Amino acid sequence: MPKYHTREIEFRADETVGDLIPCVLSSETPVERGQYLEVLSHTPADVDLSRAPLPLLVQHDRTQLNVGVIEQIRLVGGKLLGAARFGASALAQEIRADVLSRIINSLSVGYRVIKPISESGRTVRFAWQPLECSIVSVPADENAGFWRSINQPSKGKIMPDNNSTEITDTTDQRTRSQVRSATRSMADERERASEIFAIGRVHNLGDLAERAVADGTSLDDFRNLALSRMRDSGSLRLSESPEIGMSRGEIERFSFRRAILSRIDPQWGAREAGFEMEVSRAYAKQIGKDPQGIFVPPEVLQHRDMTVGTPSAGGHLVATEHMGANFIDVLRQASMVMALGATNLAGLTGNVAIPRKTGTATVYWVPENGAPPPSAIALDQIGLTPKTVAGYSDYSRRLLQQATPDIESLLRRDFAETIAVELDRVVIIGAGTSTEPRGILNTSGIGSVAIGANGGPITWDHVLQLEEALVAAHADASSIAYLTTTKVRRKLKGTTKVPSDAGAGFIWENGQEGFGTVNTYRAAASTNVPSNLVKGTSGAVCSAVLAGDFSQVYIGNWGGLDILIDPYTLGTSGAQRIIALQDVDVALRLAACFAAILDATT
């Protein structure tokens, strides 16, 4: 699913207007995104206006009906212009009155990025699609504004609206609104603001916190913003970028095959793989750590495409077309927990601590002119420290000598899959030792649903109990998924929601892209989910069924891939064992966002 973004814009009154209120929706003002500056292109070919007219919301709350629409959307002079029409509801008219009286001065456009189209230094220019506009508090884009389009020439294509009319100049000012936001309860708003301010105080991010509270930024979005600023907060910072500054041509030139062969035959490597060996040395110097074999930097892992290539001078393989099949994508496809939405933190080079709330602020009922007693939320930290995961694949020497795109792609996919299989296991049931991360099923605080004293078959009611536990913990419904064993999947495909009533449907139904659907949520099966658990006198036959918000799983990746050659294990056959090592760690942000059944029998 495409990632959803917002950016704030300010509108100002040059003069009062009537039914339609003109506004500037967006401009090409750069916005800081941590590793780069984002610029939304305002060239007609780069803006998808197929969703026009746009709904006008309050604080990006897409669970509520819109208070109006943005009509007459058009590109003029590097800006996206429109006109706001408010609805007839009481809330819509109250907000409109505040807009006309210059009390509310800001909009925020919600959009999705389609693709990057150019890059210059840290600045990346994107094609994009606006999805909605919202009434918010504090602006970020100083080059946009309400009514500022009133003196602009009417250039550009106007998208057709069902009830479009021309903007008039009649004045219609009303009394000031008594309700600023009807979409979030006072208690929820206080809790959001308290936690954001608390995190800002702990990590010296007061300015960022103030702006986030004013903009209506969600807690999850603020945590992401805070992570991008941790470089300035001591032990909590994400260390400097591990990239060594390879150009696109150098990334395309790097060959996994030559890197491996250079370790098998150093003399051949000195002649044919000097570039790969030099890249490994430069990366080792950058991170201050020597490889056990040869390093493949994250720049190559994240950007190199192996699907299309042509031979160049010396028989070197050079990719000539980029199709988006990078190493992280391969790893995500091979790892079930990553496919279900786990949060990947890539490019780490130091220990990381992420702030987490463990207790809430308290609200009180007070008499008129009374003041509530002070209260504060409790915070702790989630620690991520590198732990090494390794996997291996065996190849013949002749296979490694074949310089074809398919061999390069095979090598990279094998490395990803060997790591992904073990990564899935530790995320699900890792022991939590000094060398192995702690998995979800071994984390205290997750919800639990028991079937019986000795286990038993899972029913529709047990599935609903899992959902009930997650909803009680305020898990994000859009990220909930079920994960279980292949045995349970087979059983649930033949188990009806209502006993002996096939018309009621089966618990496990067909989904998309290889996944199933359970209780309308995404469902998957993995051999890494344990199926040999014991409950009472059941014997080792019980399976686990896990449900949760997998975005709460943080998977940290440190640096590049370390490739080690073992020439001895298969030495008599002439084959080579290639060992891939990667430093990773796993942590749960909120354990209560997961619940499990540990005694399902099939």
Side-chain angles (χ1 to χ4, degrees):
M1 181 178 293
K3 187 174 181 181
Y4 181 82
H5 302 270
T6 64
R7 59 166 62 189
E8 287 67 46
I9 51 182
E10 182 181 9
F11 53 82
R12 302 183 180 91
D14 291 335
E15 59 183 274
T16 57
V17 296
D19 190 29
L20 292 179
I21 303 176
C23 53
V24 178
L25 305 183
S26 61
S27 69
E28 294 195 352
T29 300
V31 170
E32 178 65 50
R33 295 299 186 192
Q35 297 298 321
Y36 62 93
L37 288 174
E38 177 190 83
V39 172
L40 299 180
S41 173
H42 282 62
T43 301
D46 299 331
V47 185
D48 182 356
L49 295 178
S50 61
R51 300 289 290 269
L54 302 179
L56 180 61
L57 308 179
V58 178
Q59 298 287 13
H60 297 290
D61 189 346
R62 290 177 286 172
T63 66
Q64 302 295 322
L65 292 175
N66 52 308
V67 296
V69 294
I70 303 293
E71 302 176 351
Q72 299 185 10
I73 298 175
R74 60 205 184 275
L75 288 165
V76 178
K79 296 180 180 180
L80 187 63
L81 307 183
R85 179 195 299 276
F86 285 91
S89 68
L91 176 61
Q93 289 302 309
E94 287 175 351
I95 294 174
R96 181 176 182 274
D98 280 358
V99 170
L100 292 174
S101 59
R102 286 56 166 184
I103 294 171
I104 291 178
N105 293 313
S106 301
L107 290 174
S108 174
V109 63
Y111 61 97
R112 72 175 183 92
V113 168
I114 298 175
K115 64 179 179 179
I117 54 177
S118 65
E119 183 175 348
S120 177
R122 290 188 64 243
T123 301
V124 183
R125 193 176 180 90
F126 290 90
W128 61 293
Q129 180 186 38
L131 303 176
E132 51 91 358
C133 279
S134 287
I135 300 291
V136 292
S137 306
V138 177
D141 187 346
E142 297 298 333
N143 293 319
F146 219 30
W147 284 291
R148 294 178 65 181
S149 62
I150 215 165
N151 296 320
Q152 298 282 351
S154 298
K155 299 178 182 178
K157 181 180 179 180
I158 298 179
M159 300 303 295
D161 301 317
N162 293 333
N163 298 302
S164 178
T165 61
E166 292 301 317
I167 297 171
T168 64
D169 292 326
T170 59
T171 300
D172 185 11
Q173 298 196 27
R174 305 187 183 184
T175 60
R176 179 174 177 173
S177 170
Q178 300 298 312
V179 180
R180 285 300 181 86
S181 176
T183 60
R184 180 185 286 121
S185 72
M186 183 177 295
D188 288 344
E189 174 62 17
R190 285 177 176 171
E191 182 177 350
R192 179 188 73 90
S194 296
E195 184 168 353
I196 288 175
F197 279 132
I199 293 173
R201 286 194 300 270
V202 170
H203 302 295
N204 298 319
L205 298 174
D207 59 332
L208 191 66
E210 289 180 3
R211 182 166 182 174
V213 170
D215 289 355
T217 303
S218 70
L219 287 175
D220 284 340
D221 286 344
F222 178 72
R223 290 188 184 99
N224 292 333
L225 291 172
L227 281 174
S228 70
R229 294 274 294 269
M230 282 186 178
R231 286 186 172 86
D232 301 323
S233 58
S235 62
L236 294 181
R237 81 180 183 202
L238 292 158
S239 297
E240 297 302 321
S241 171
E243 294 192 353
I244 59 176
M246 297 176 69
S247 68
R248 180 56 60 87
E250 289 170 334
I251 291 172
E252 294 171 348
R253 180 182 170 190
F254 190 97
S255 167
F256 278 69
R257 181 188 63 85
R258 289 199 304 270
I260 293 170
L261 288 175
S262 72
R263 308 310 298 169
I264 298 174
D265 186 345
Q267 291 185 346
W268 181 92
R271 296 192 313 269
E272 303 292 341
F275 173 71
E276 287 73 18
M277 295 171 69
E278 180 59 31
V279 167
S280 177
R281 285 191 292 268
Y283 181 68
K285 182 178 179 181
Q286 176 79 359
I287 65 173
K289 177 181 176 182
D290 292 328
Q292 298 185 52
I294 187 169
F295 274 139
V296 180
E299 289 159 279
V300 174
L301 300 180
Q302 294 173 4
H303 301 296
R304 177 66 187 273
D305 186 298
M306 300 295 185
T307 60
V308 178
T310 57
S312 66
H316 293 173
L317 192 65
V318 179
T320 58
E321 184 176 351
H322 290 267
M323 305 294 288
N326 59 45
F327 185 85
I328 295 299
D329 287 338
V330 175
L331 181 60
R332 185 174 297 277
Q333 292 162 8
S335 168
M336 195 60 68
V337 295
M338 292 185 71
L340 291 177
T343 300
N344 183 51
L345 303 176
L348 308 181
T349 58
N351 293 347
V352 176
I354 302 170
R356 173 177 61 183
K357 182 180 72 172
T358 58
T360 63
T362 305
V363 296
Y364 303 89
W365 292 97
V366 297
E368 185 177 3
N369 299 323
S375 66
I377 64 172
L379 298 175
D380 69 357
Q381 297 175 358
I382 304 170
L384 291 170
T385 57
K387 299 175 178 66
T388 302
V389 58
Y392 68 85
S393 295
D394 298 332
Y395 306 96
S396 70
R397 180 177 173 82
R398 181 174 298 176
L399 177 68
L400 292 171
Q401 290 175 331
Q402 312 237 358
T404 69
D406 289 339
I407 296 302
E408 290 277 355
S409 181
L410 170 67
L411 294 175
R412 186 172 53 168
R413 184 169 293 277
D414 273 359
F415 295 151
E417 289 178 349
T418 54
I419 292 173
V421 170
E422 179 58 16
L423 182 62
D424 265 8
R425 186 192 69 80
V426 297
V427 170
I428 296 166
I429 198 168
T433 63
S434 60
T435 58
E436 181 176 293
R438 185 177 301 279
I440 298 171
L441 295 180
N442 284 325
T443 300
S444 61
I446 69 171
S448 177
V449 174
I451 294 179
N454 302 311
I458 187 171
T459 66
W460 178 240
D461 186 60
H462 295 132
V463 172
L464 298 181
Q465 289 180 49
L466 285 174
E467 180 188 37
E468 182 181 17
L470 298 176
V471 172
H474 305 291
D476 181 4
S478 65
S479 299
I480 289 176
Y482 290 85
L483 182 61
T484 186
T485 67
T486 54
K487 293 180 180 180
V488 171
R489 177 178 61 184
R490 172 183 55 80
K491 184 71 173 178
L492 296 185
K493 280 187 173 182
T495 303
T496 56
K497 297 176 182 179
V498 178
S500 303
D501 183 3
F506 294 88
I507 295 178
W508 188 295
E509 299 174 331
N510 291 331
Q512 296 179 347
E513 299 176 354
F515 292 89
T517 300
V518 172
N519 190 23
T520 73
Y521 299 115
R522 207 175 189 193
S526 170
T527 55
N528 279 315
V529 179
S531 59
N532 59 348
L533 303 175
V534 177
K535 181 71 175 292
T537 61
S538 68
V541 297
C542 294
S543 292
V545 181
L546 179 63
D549 175 3
F550 280 83
S551 68
Q552 302 298 315
V553 177
Y554 286 175
I555 301 176
N557 282 279
W558 278 262
L561 192 69
D562 193 353
I563 298 176
L564 181 64
I565 312 301
D566 175 8
Y568 306 110
T569 302
L570 303 173
T572 56
S573 66
Q576 303 289 330
R577 174 158 292 177
I578 313 300
I579 305 170
L581 304 99
Q582 179 79 40
D583 288 334
V584 300
D585 197 12
V586 175
L588 298 188
R589 192 173 74 83
L590 292 174
C593 286
F594 290 90
I597 294 172
L598 300 178
D599 57 351
T601 61
T602 56

PDB file of all heavy atoms in Angstrom, residues 388-414:
ATOM      1  N   THR A 388      24.421 -10.816  15.187  1.00  0.00           N
ATOM      2  CA  THR A 388      24.767 -11.335  13.865  1.00  0.00           C
ATOM      3  C   THR A 388      23.936 -12.564  13.519  1.00  0.00           C
ATOM      4  O   THR A 388      23.894 -13.539  14.270  1.00  0.00           O
ATOM      5  CB  THR A 388      26.260 -11.709  13.794  1.00  0.00           C
ATOM      6  OG1 THR A 388      27.045 -10.557  14.107  1.00  0.00           O
ATOM      7  CG2 THR A 388      26.629 -12.197  12.405  1.00  0.00           C
ATOM      8  N   VAL A 389      23.259 -12.498  12.366  1.00  0.00           N
ATOM      9  CA  VAL A 389      22.543 -13.641  11.824  1.00  0.00           C
ATOM     10  C   VAL A 389      23.296 -14.112  10.583  1.00  0.00           C
ATOM     11  O   VAL A 389      23.806 -13.297   9.805  1.00  0.00           O
ATOM     12  CB  VAL A 389      21.085 -13.281  11.473  1.00  0.00           C
ATOM     13  CG1 VAL A 389      21.018 -12.136  10.481  1.00  0.00           C
ATOM     14  CG2 VAL A 389      20.339 -14.492  10.930  1.00  0.00           C
ATOM     15  N   ALA A 390      23.408 -15.423  10.426  1.00  0.00           N
ATOM     16  CA  ALA A 390      24.184 -15.972   9.315  1.00  0.00           C
ATOM     17  C   ALA A 390      23.421 -17.100   8.651  1.00  0.00           C
ATOM     18  O   ALA A 390      22.663 -17.832   9.297  1.00  0.00           O
ATOM     19  CB  ALA A 390      25.545 -16.467   9.805  1.00  0.00           C
ATOM     20  N   GLY A 391      23.608 -17.240   7.362  1.00  0.00           N
ATOM     21  CA  GLY A 391      23.055 -18.344   6.603  1.00  0.00           C
ATOM     22  C   GLY A 391      24.005 -18.680   5.476  1.00  0.00           C
ATOM     23  O   GLY A 391      24.914 -17.909   5.165  1.00  0.00           O
ATOM     24  N   TYR A 392      23.830 -19.840   4.883  1.00  0.00           N
ATOM     25  CA  TYR A 392      24.775 -20.226   3.832  1.00  0.00           C
ATOM     26  C   TYR A 392      24.059 -20.917   2.679  1.00  0.00           C
ATOM     27  O   TYR A 392      22.953 -21.438   2.819  1.00  0.00           O
ATOM     28  CB  TYR A 392      25.864 -21.151   4.393  1.00  0.00           C
ATOM     29  CG  TYR A 392      25.372 -22.519   4.827  1.00  0.00           C
ATOM     30  CD1 TYR A 392      25.256 -23.568   3.918  1.00  0.00           C
ATOM     31  CD2 TYR A 392      25.033 -22.759   6.159  1.00  0.00           C
ATOM     32  CE1 TYR A 392      24.805 -24.813   4.317  1.00  0.00           C
ATOM     33  CE2 TYR A 392      24.578 -23.993   6.574  1.00  0.00           C
ATOM     34  CZ  TYR A 392      24.469 -25.027   5.641  1.00  0.00           C
ATOM     35  OH  TYR A 392      24.004 -26.259   6.039  1.00  0.00           O
ATOM     36  N   SER A 393      24.717 -20.892   1.531  1.00  0.00           N
ATOM     37  CA  SER A 393      24.286 -21.631   0.345  1.00  0.00           C
ATOM     38  C   SER A 393      25.520 -22.227  -0.294  1.00  0.00           C
ATOM     39  O   SER A 393      26.631 -21.691  -0.168  1.00  0.00           O
ATOM     40  CB  SER A 393      23.568 -20.709  -0.649  1.00  0.00           C
ATOM     41  OG  SER A 393      22.364 -20.213  -0.114  1.00  0.00           O
ATOM     42  N   ASP A 394      25.332 -23.345  -0.984  1.00  0.00           N
ATOM     43  CA  ASP A 394      26.448 -24.044  -1.627  1.00  0.00           C
ATOM     44  C   ASP A 394      26.352 -23.873  -3.146  1.00  0.00           C
ATOM     45  O   ASP A 394      25.275 -24.013  -3.729  1.00  0.00           O
ATOM     46  CB  ASP A 394      26.414 -25.536  -1.276  1.00  0.00           C
ATOM     47  CG  ASP A 394      26.559 -25.786   0.218  1.00  0.00           C
ATOM     48  OD1 ASP A 394      27.195 -24.950   0.888  1.00  0.00           O
ATOM     49  OD2 ASP A 394      26.023 -26.797   0.710  1.00  0.00           O
ATOM     50  N   TYR A 395      27.515 -23.557  -3.774  1.00  0.00           N
ATOM     51  CA  TYR A 395      27.572 -23.351  -5.215  1.00  0.00           C
ATOM     52  C   TYR A 395      28.781 -24.081  -5.782  1.00  0.00           C
ATOM     53  O   TYR A 395      29.827 -24.178  -5.131  1.00  0.00           O
ATOM     54  CB  TYR A 395      27.704 -21.858  -5.555  1.00  0.00           C
ATOM     55  CG  TYR A 395      26.649 -20.977  -4.949  1.00  0.00           C
ATOM     56  CD1 TYR A 395      26.881 -20.295  -3.766  1.00  0.00           C
ATOM     57  CD2 TYR A 395      25.414 -20.827  -5.574  1.00  0.00           C
ATOM     58  CE1 TYR A 395      25.910 -19.467  -3.202  1.00  0.00           C
ATOM     59  CE2 TYR A 395      24.434 -20.008  -5.020  1.00  0.00           C
ATOM     60  CZ  TYR A 395      24.694 -19.341  -3.838  1.00  0.00           C
ATOM     61  OH  TYR A 395      23.738 -18.538  -3.287  1.00  0.00           O
ATOM     62  N   SER A 396      28.643 -24.540  -7.012  1.00  0.00           N
ATOM     63  CA  SER A 396      29.802 -25.099  -7.706  1.00  0.00           C
ATOM     64  C   SER A 396      30.676 -23.963  -8.227  1.00  0.00           C
ATOM     65  O   SER A 396      30.181 -22.864  -8.488  1.00  0.00           O
ATOM     66  CB  SER A 396      29.355 -25.984  -8.874  1.00  0.00           C
ATOM     67  OG  SER A 396      28.790 -25.187  -9.913  1.00  0.00           O
ATOM     68  N   ARG A 397      31.957 -24.240  -8.370  1.00  0.00           N
ATOM     69  CA  ARG A 397      32.865 -23.226  -8.890  1.00  0.00           C
ATOM     70  C   ARG A 397      32.474 -22.829 -10.310  1.00  0.00           C
ATOM     71  O   ARG A 397      32.549 -21.655 -10.690  1.00  0.00           O
ATOM     72  CB  ARG A 397      34.300 -23.737  -8.848  1.00  0.00           C
ATOM     73  CG  ARG A 397      35.319 -22.738  -9.389  1.00  0.00           C
ATOM     74  CD  ARG A 397      36.739 -23.268  -9.250  1.00  0.00           C
ATOM     75  NE  ARG A 397      37.699 -22.396  -9.904  1.00  0.00           N
ATOM     76  CZ  ARG A 397      38.198 -21.289  -9.367  1.00  0.00           C
ATOM     77  NH1 ARG A 397      37.808 -20.930  -8.159  1.00  0.00           N
ATOM     78  NH2 ARG A 397      39.057 -20.542 -10.021  1.00  0.00           N
ATOM     79  N   ARG A 398      32.026 -23.803 -11.081  1.00  0.00           N
ATOM     80  CA  ARG A 398      31.651 -23.505 -12.466  1.00  0.00           C
ATOM     81  C   ARG A 398      30.468 -22.542 -12.506  1.00  0.00           C
ATOM     82  O   ARG A 398      30.405 -21.637 -13.342  1.00  0.00           O
ATOM     83  CB  ARG A 398      31.308 -24.802 -13.201  1.00  0.00           C
ATOM     84  CG  ARG A 398      30.920 -24.591 -14.659  1.00  0.00           C
ATOM     85  CD  ARG A 398      30.732 -25.900 -15.379  1.00  0.00           C
ATOM     86  NE  ARG A 398      31.981 -26.679 -15.405  1.00  0.00           N
ATOM     87  CZ  ARG A 398      32.070 -27.910 -15.917  1.00  0.00           C
ATOM     88  NH1 ARG A 398      30.998 -28.493 -16.407  1.00  0.00           N
ATOM     89  NH2 ARG A 398      33.219 -28.531 -15.903  1.00  0.00           N
ATOM     90  N   LEU A 399      29.504 -22.742 -11.597  1.00  0.00           N
ATOM     91  CA  LEU A 399      28.355 -21.841 -11.558  1.00  0.00           C
ATOM     92  C   LEU A 399      28.799 -20.416 -11.254  1.00  0.00           C
ATOM     93  O   LEU A 399      28.345 -19.452 -11.877  1.00  0.00           O
ATOM     94  CB  LEU A 399      27.365 -22.313 -10.491  1.00  0.00           C
ATOM     95  CG  LEU A 399      26.134 -21.424 -10.280  1.00  0.00           C
ATOM     96  CD1 LEU A 399      25.215 -21.470 -11.484  1.00  0.00           C
ATOM     97  CD2 LEU A 399      25.380 -21.831  -9.027  1.00  0.00           C
ATOM     98  N   LEU A 400      29.726 -20.273 -10.295  1.00  0.00           N
ATOM     99  CA  LEU A 400      30.183 -18.943  -9.919  1.00  0.00           C
ATOM    100  C   LEU A 400      30.945 -18.250 -11.047  1.00  0.00           C
ATOM    101  O   LEU A 400      31.036 -17.032 -11.086  1.00  0.00           O
ATOM    102  CB  LEU A 400      31.062 -19.023  -8.670  1.00  0.00           C
ATOM    103  CG  LEU A 400      30.341 -19.417  -7.377  1.00  0.00           C
ATOM    104  CD1 LEU A 400      31.342 -19.665  -6.269  1.00  0.00           C
ATOM    105  CD2 LEU A 400      29.354 -18.334  -6.967  1.00  0.00           C
ATOM    106  N   GLN A 401      31.530 -19.031 -11.946  1.00  0.00           N
ATOM    107  CA  GLN A 401      32.301 -18.437 -13.038  1.00  0.00           C
ATOM    108  C   GLN A 401      31.414 -17.936 -14.168  1.00  0.00           C
ATOM    109  O   GLN A 401      31.895 -17.271 -15.079  1.00  0.00           O
ATOM    110  CB  GLN A 401      33.305 -19.468 -13.577  1.00  0.00           C
ATOM    111  CG  GLN A 401      34.440 -19.752 -12.598  1.00  0.00           C
ATOM    112  CD  GLN A 401      35.353 -20.860 -13.095  1.00  0.00           C
ATOM    113  OE1 GLN A 401      34.931 -21.755 -13.818  1.00  0.00           O
ATOM    114  NE2 GLN A 401      36.619 -20.799 -12.690  1.00  0.00           N
ATOM    115  N   GLN A 402      30.109 -18.215 -14.120  1.00  0.00           N
ATOM    116  CA  GLN A 402      29.200 -17.804 -15.185  1.00  0.00           C
ATOM    117  C   GLN A 402      28.793 -16.353 -14.986  1.00  0.00           C
ATOM    118  O   GLN A 402      28.118 -16.010 -14.024  1.00  0.00           O
ATOM    119  CB  GLN A 402      27.960 -18.686 -15.193  1.00  0.00           C
ATOM    120  CG  GLN A 402      28.307 -20.145 -15.122  1.00  0.00           C
ATOM    121  CD  GLN A 402      27.745 -20.945 -16.278  1.00  0.00           C
ATOM    122  OE1 GLN A 402      27.049 -20.403 -17.124  1.00  0.00           O
ATOM    123  NE2 GLN A 402      28.051 -22.203 -16.301  1.00  0.00           N
ATOM    124  N   ALA A 403      29.184 -15.495 -15.887  1.00  0.00           N
ATOM    125  CA  ALA A 403      28.863 -14.058 -15.790  1.00  0.00           C
ATOM    126  C   ALA A 403      27.573 -13.768 -16.531  1.00  0.00           C
ATOM    127  O   ALA A 403      27.581 -13.290 -17.656  1.00  0.00           O
ATOM    128  CB  ALA A 403      30.001 -13.229 -16.353  1.00  0.00           C
ATOM    129  N   THR A 404      26.437 -14.093 -15.918  1.00  0.00           N
ATOM    130  CA  THR A 404      25.142 -13.798 -16.527  1.00  0.00           C
ATOM    131  C   THR A 404      24.271 -13.064 -15.519  1.00  0.00           C
ATOM    132  O   THR A 404      24.450 -13.200 -14.306  1.00  0.00           O
ATOM    133  CB  THR A 404      24.418 -15.092 -16.961  1.00  0.00           C
ATOM    134  OG1 THR A 404      24.014 -15.809 -15.779  1.00  0.00           O
ATOM    135  CG2 THR A 404      25.324 -15.974 -17.802  1.00  0.00           C
ATOM    136  N   PRO A 405      23.306 -12.307 -15.992  1.00  0.00           N
ATOM    137  CA  PRO A 405      22.395 -11.629 -15.059  1.00  0.00           C
ATOM    138  C   PRO A 405      21.672 -12.602 -14.139  1.00  0.00           C
ATOM    139  O   PRO A 405      21.425 -12.306 -12.970  1.00  0.00           O
ATOM    140  CB  PRO A 405      21.412 -10.904 -15.983  1.00  0.00           C
ATOM    141  CG  PRO A 405      22.164 -10.714 -17.260  1.00  0.00           C
ATOM    142  CD  PRO A 405      23.049 -11.917 -17.401  1.00  0.00           C
ATOM    143  N   ASP A 406      21.297 -13.793 -14.651  1.00  0.00           N
ATOM    144  CA  ASP A 406      20.570 -14.758 -13.831  1.00  0.00           C
ATOM    145  C   ASP A 406      21.415 -15.260 -12.660  1.00  0.00           C
ATOM    146  O   ASP A 406      20.895 -15.478 -11.568  1.00  0.00           O
ATOM    147  CB  ASP A 406      20.120 -15.942 -14.683  1.00  0.00           C
ATOM    148  CG  ASP A 406      18.997 -15.567 -15.633  1.00  0.00           C
ATOM    149  OD1 ASP A 406      18.329 -14.554 -15.357  1.00  0.00           O
ATOM    150  OD2 ASP A 406      18.802 -16.272 -16.628  1.00  0.00           O
ATOM    151  N   ILE A 407      22.721 -15.450 -12.861  1.00  0.00           N
ATOM    152  CA  ILE A 407      23.585 -15.920 -11.778  1.00  0.00           C
ATOM    153  C   ILE A 407      23.712 -14.833 -10.711  1.00  0.00           C
ATOM    154  O   ILE A 407      23.631 -15.110  -9.513  1.00  0.00           O
ATOM    155  CB  ILE A 407      24.974 -16.317 -12.324  1.00  0.00           C
ATOM    156  CG1 ILE A 407      24.841 -17.504 -13.284  1.00  0.00           C
ATOM    157  CG2 ILE A 407      25.915 -16.661 -11.179  1.00  0.00           C
ATOM    158  CD1 ILE A 407      24.194 -18.723 -12.661  1.00  0.00           C
ATOM    159  N   GLU A 408      23.898 -13.598 -11.140  1.00  0.00           N
ATOM    160  CA  GLU A 408      23.983 -12.500 -10.167  1.00  0.00           C
ATOM    161  C   GLU A 408      22.692 -12.407  -9.349  1.00  0.00           C
ATOM    162  O   GLU A 408      22.717 -12.252  -8.130  1.00  0.00           O
ATOM    163  CB  GLU A 408      24.235 -11.179 -10.895  1.00  0.00           C
ATOM    164  CG  GLU A 408      25.611 -11.048 -11.509  1.00  0.00           C
ATOM    165  CD  GLU A 408      26.649 -10.585 -10.490  1.00  0.00           C
ATOM    166  OE1 GLU A 408      26.278 -10.283  -9.346  1.00  0.00           O
ATOM    167  OE2 GLU A 408      27.831 -10.541 -10.853  1.00  0.00           O
ATOM    168  N   SER A 409      21.549 -12.525 -10.026  1.00  0.00           N
ATOM    169  CA  SER A 409      20.264 -12.454  -9.329  1.00  0.00           C
ATOM    170  C   SER A 409      20.085 -13.627  -8.385  1.00  0.00           C
ATOM    171  O   SER A 409      19.578 -13.475  -7.265  1.00  0.00           O
ATOM    172  CB  SER A 409      19.125 -12.411 -10.351  1.00  0.00           C
ATOM    173  OG  SER A 409      17.881 -12.318  -9.708  1.00  0.00           O
ATOM    174  N   LEU A 410      20.520 -14.812  -8.807  1.00  0.00           N
ATOM    175  CA  LEU A 410      20.427 -15.995  -7.957  1.00  0.00           C
ATOM    176  C   LEU A 410      21.244 -15.828  -6.687  1.00  0.00           C
ATOM    177  O   LEU A 410      20.779 -16.151  -5.587  1.00  0.00           O
ATOM    178  CB  LEU A 410      20.915 -17.229  -8.734  1.00  0.00           C
ATOM    179  CG  LEU A 410      21.107 -18.511  -7.903  1.00  0.00           C
ATOM    180  CD1 LEU A 410      19.764 -19.011  -7.397  1.00  0.00           C
ATOM    181  CD2 LEU A 410      21.803 -19.584  -8.730  1.00  0.00           C
ATOM    182  N   LEU A 411      22.464 -15.317  -6.800  1.00  0.00           N
ATOM    183  CA  LEU A 411      23.317 -15.128  -5.629  1.00  0.00           C
ATOM    184  C   LEU A 411      22.656 -14.195  -4.628  1.00  0.00           C
ATOM    185  O   LEU A 411      22.579 -14.475  -3.432  1.00  0.00           O
ATOM    186  CB  LEU A 411      24.677 -14.567  -6.054  1.00  0.00           C
ATOM    187  CG  LEU A 411      25.565 -15.477  -6.901  1.00  0.00           C
ATOM    188  CD1 LEU A 411      26.814 -14.729  -7.343  1.00  0.00           C
ATOM    189  CD2 LEU A 411      25.947 -16.726  -6.121  1.00  0.00           C
ATOM    190  N   ARG A 412      22.170 -13.062  -5.114  1.00  0.00           N
ATOM    191  CA  ARG A 412      21.584 -12.084  -4.211  1.00  0.00           C
ATOM    192  C   ARG A 412      20.316 -12.626  -3.562  1.00  0.00           C
ATOM    193  O   ARG A 412      20.086 -12.445  -2.365  1.00  0.00           O
ATOM    194  CB  ARG A 412      21.287 -10.786  -4.953  1.00  0.00           C
ATOM    195  CG  ARG A 412      20.803  -9.690  -4.026  1.00  0.00           C
ATOM    196  CD  ARG A 412      20.701  -8.367  -4.712  1.00  0.00           C
ATOM    197  NE  ARG A 412      19.897  -8.430  -5.927  1.00  0.00           N
ATOM    198  CZ  ARG A 412      19.466  -7.357  -6.571  1.00  0.00           C
ATOM    199  NH1 ARG A 412      19.779  -6.164  -6.110  1.00  0.00           N
ATOM    200  NH2 ARG A 412      18.756  -7.463  -7.652  1.00  0.00           N
ATOM    201  N   ARG A 413      19.466 -13.310  -4.316  1.00  0.00           N
ATOM    202  CA  ARG A 413      18.230 -13.849  -3.749  1.00  0.00           C
ATOM    203  C   ARG A 413      18.534 -14.916  -2.711  1.00  0.00           C
ATOM    204  O   ARG A 413      17.868 -14.994  -1.676  1.00  0.00           O
ATOM    205  CB  ARG A 413      17.349 -14.415  -4.863  1.00  0.00           C
ATOM    206  CG  ARG A 413      15.993 -14.900  -4.368  1.00  0.00           C
ATOM    207  CD  ARG A 413      15.079 -15.198  -5.539  1.00  0.00           C
ATOM    208  NE  ARG A 413      14.733 -13.981  -6.256  1.00  0.00           N
ATOM    209  CZ  ARG A 413      13.765 -13.164  -5.898  1.00  0.00           C
ATOM    210  NH1 ARG A 413      13.054 -13.397  -4.808  1.00  0.00           N
ATOM    211  NH2 ARG A 413      13.507 -12.090  -6.600  1.00  0.00           N
ATOM    212  N   ASP A 414      19.529 -15.755  -2.959  1.00  0.00           N
ATOM    213  CA  ASP A 414      19.896 -16.770  -1.973  1.00  0.00           C
ATOM    214  C   ASP A 414      20.358 -16.132  -0.667  1.00  0.00           C
ATOM    215  O   ASP A 414      20.009 -16.588   0.427  1.00  0.00           O
ATOM    216  CB  ASP A 414      21.002 -17.673  -2.530  1.00  0.00           C
ATOM    217  CG  ASP A 414      20.438 -18.834  -3.335  1.00  0.00           C
ATOM    218  OD1 ASP A 414      19.205 -18.927  -3.441  1.00  0.00           O
ATOM    219  OD2 ASP A 414      21.225 -19.646  -3.849  1.00  0.00           O
TER     220      ASP A 414
END
